[in-house]
């Protein structure tokens, strides 16, 4: 039997937001107000498409963007966690489900040398067009009214676990690690033997605490363990192996 570790990326694997970190490649490290104000709630991926077009318009090369993205720091203890996972691949599967994009995550994981710990990444696909500008599109379409239009993490997790079970890898336990509001929906998929780990002081912890106060709320059946560093996650993982 195998344990599945599910990791968010921004403010989880890395200790910042990769989509805002990329602004460090701009001379003033900020966007013009007209572009900042173009964001519509739930449509972040569309906004990032415009941001990356603007960065390209400023003559900033993909190499410069990559160099900046590779400097984003890992969250404390995350390197140790990923190293442990990579050494125990016979009993631990690890996936990333993120609202970032495929290029940023690929660059960052390769820069850390820890990419072998992650089996699959589910995120918004990105590529460089003929002009050298990075484009980003939504991961999928869905009918969940709780999630951003581009990504329902519960839907991704459900399909992945179902596919793995059908192919002969049923998971004894799922450990879901995240921080944000878009990490709440997938927690309703988890069972009593599973674990949801919200980052201390972040939105997911507050949302789960609010649900807990609603007596009889059945939406989160998993054990809740708050984390502050990758060391906390590693300890929780080791004790459940």
């Amino acid at each position: 039997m195998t344990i599945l570790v599910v990791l968010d990326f921004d403010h989880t694997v890395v200790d910042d937001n990769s989509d805002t970190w990329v602004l460090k490649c701009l001379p003033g490290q900020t966007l013009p107000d007209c572009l900042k104000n173009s964001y519509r709630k739930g449509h972040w991926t569309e906004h990032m498409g415009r941001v990356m077009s603007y960065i390209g318009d400023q003559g900033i090369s993909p190499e410069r963007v990559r160099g900046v993205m590779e400097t984003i720091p890992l969250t404390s203890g995350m390197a140790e966690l990923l190293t442990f996972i990579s050494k125990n691949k016979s009993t631990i599967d690890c996936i990333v489900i993120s609202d970032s994009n495929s290029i940023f995550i690929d660059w960052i994981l390769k820069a850390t040398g820890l990419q072998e710990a992650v089996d699959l990444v589910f995120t918004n696909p990105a590529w460089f067009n003929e002009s050298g500008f990075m484009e980003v599109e939504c991961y999928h379409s869905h009918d969940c009214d709780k999630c951003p239009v581009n990504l329902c993490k519960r839907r991704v997790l459900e399909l992945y676990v179902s596919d793995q079970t059908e192919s002969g890898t049923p998971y004894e336990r799922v450990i879901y690690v995240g921080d944000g509001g878009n990490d709440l929906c997938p927690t309703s998929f988890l069972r009593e033997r599973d674990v949801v780990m919200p980052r201390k002081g972040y939105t997911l912890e507050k949302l789960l605490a609010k649900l807990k106060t609603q007596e009889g709320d059945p939406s989160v059946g998993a054990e809740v363990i708050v984390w502050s560093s990758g060391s906390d996650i590693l300890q929780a993982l080791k004790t459940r192996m």
Side-chain angles (χ1 to χ4, degrees):
M1 300 296 286
T2 306
I3 292 176
L4 174 65
V5 176
V6 184
L7 299 174
D8 173 48
F9 196 72
D10 293 334
H11 293 294
T12 299
V13 174
V14 294
D15 203 17
D16 211 298
N17 184 327
S18 57
D19 282 344
T20 55
W21 189 269
V22 73
L23 302 183
K24 293 180 180 291
C25 70
L26 291 168
Q29 299 191 11
T30 188
L31 298 170
D33 289 341
C34 61
L35 187 49
K36 289 180 186 177
N37 297 333
S38 71
Y39 168 65
R40 292 185 298 139
K41 186 177 180 180
H43 294 261
W44 180 258
T45 302
E46 294 175 17
H47 174 70
M48 281 307 299
R50 293 189 292 272
V51 168
M52 296 313 299
S53 290
Y54 175 78
I55 288 174
D57 284 336
Q58 307 313 300
I60 297 169
S61 69
E63 292 74 23
R64 166 62 178 158
V65 176
R66 179 170 188 164
V68 166
M69 296 311 299
E70 289 177 343
T71 66
I72 193 169
L74 288 176
T75 298
S76 174
M78 196 56 62
E80 290 78 9
L81 172 65
L82 293 175
T83 298
F84 180 82
I85 290 172
S86 66
K87 291 180 178 178
N88 290 273
K89 296 308 293 179
S90 61
T91 53
I92 306 171
D93 284 354
C94 179
I95 63 172
V96 168
I97 309 177
S98 169
D99 208 358
S100 181
N101 68 71
S102 57
I103 288 179
F104 286 178
I105 293 176
D106 182 62
W107 281 346
I108 294 165
L109 287 178
K110 285 180 177 176
T112 66
L114 299 167
Q115 70 272 22
E116 296 302 322
V118 179
D119 299 297
L120 285 172
V121 175
F122 299 91
T123 189
N124 304 299
W127 65 95
F128 285 97
N129 63 25
E130 293 177 355
S131 300
F133 294 11
M134 197 177 101
E135 297 186 26
V136 187
E137 68 178 21
C138 297
Y139 175 75
H140 62 183
S141 60
H142 60 83
D143 56 6
C144 176
D145 59 6
K146 300 176 183 178
C147 292
V149 296
N150 61 292
L151 177 63
C152 172
K153 292 188 174 185
R154 173 176 175 137
R155 182 62 176 155
V156 173
L157 182 57
E158 282 179 332
L159 288 173
Y160 180 76
V161 170
S162 175
D163 288 345
Q164 289 292 94
T165 300
E166 288 181 8
S167 64
T169 308
Y171 291 114
E172 179 181 6
R173 180 174 284 111
V174 176
I175 299 177
Y176 188 98
V177 185
D179 72 283
N182 64 352
D183 292 310
L184 182 64
C185 187
T187 65
S188 62
F189 169 73
L190 303 177
R191 307 150 298 183
E192 286 187 9
R193 62 180 179 271
D194 298 328
V195 182
V196 54
M197 300 193 68
R199 188 171 184 180
K200 184 176 178 61
Y202 284 71
T203 302
L204 180 60
E205 183 198 14
K206 296 170 185 175
L207 291 174
L208 289 171
K210 184 177 180 180
L211 284 177
K212 189 176 181 180
T213 63
Q214 299 171 4
E215 189 173 348
D217 188 290
S219 57
V220 181
E223 181 182 6
V224 178
I225 301 176
V226 178
W227 68 278
S228 296
S229 74
S231 301
D232 299 329
I233 304 165
L234 179 55
Q235 182 59 40
L237 174 58
K238 285 181 175 179
T239 59
R240 283 157 182 81
M241 291 179 68

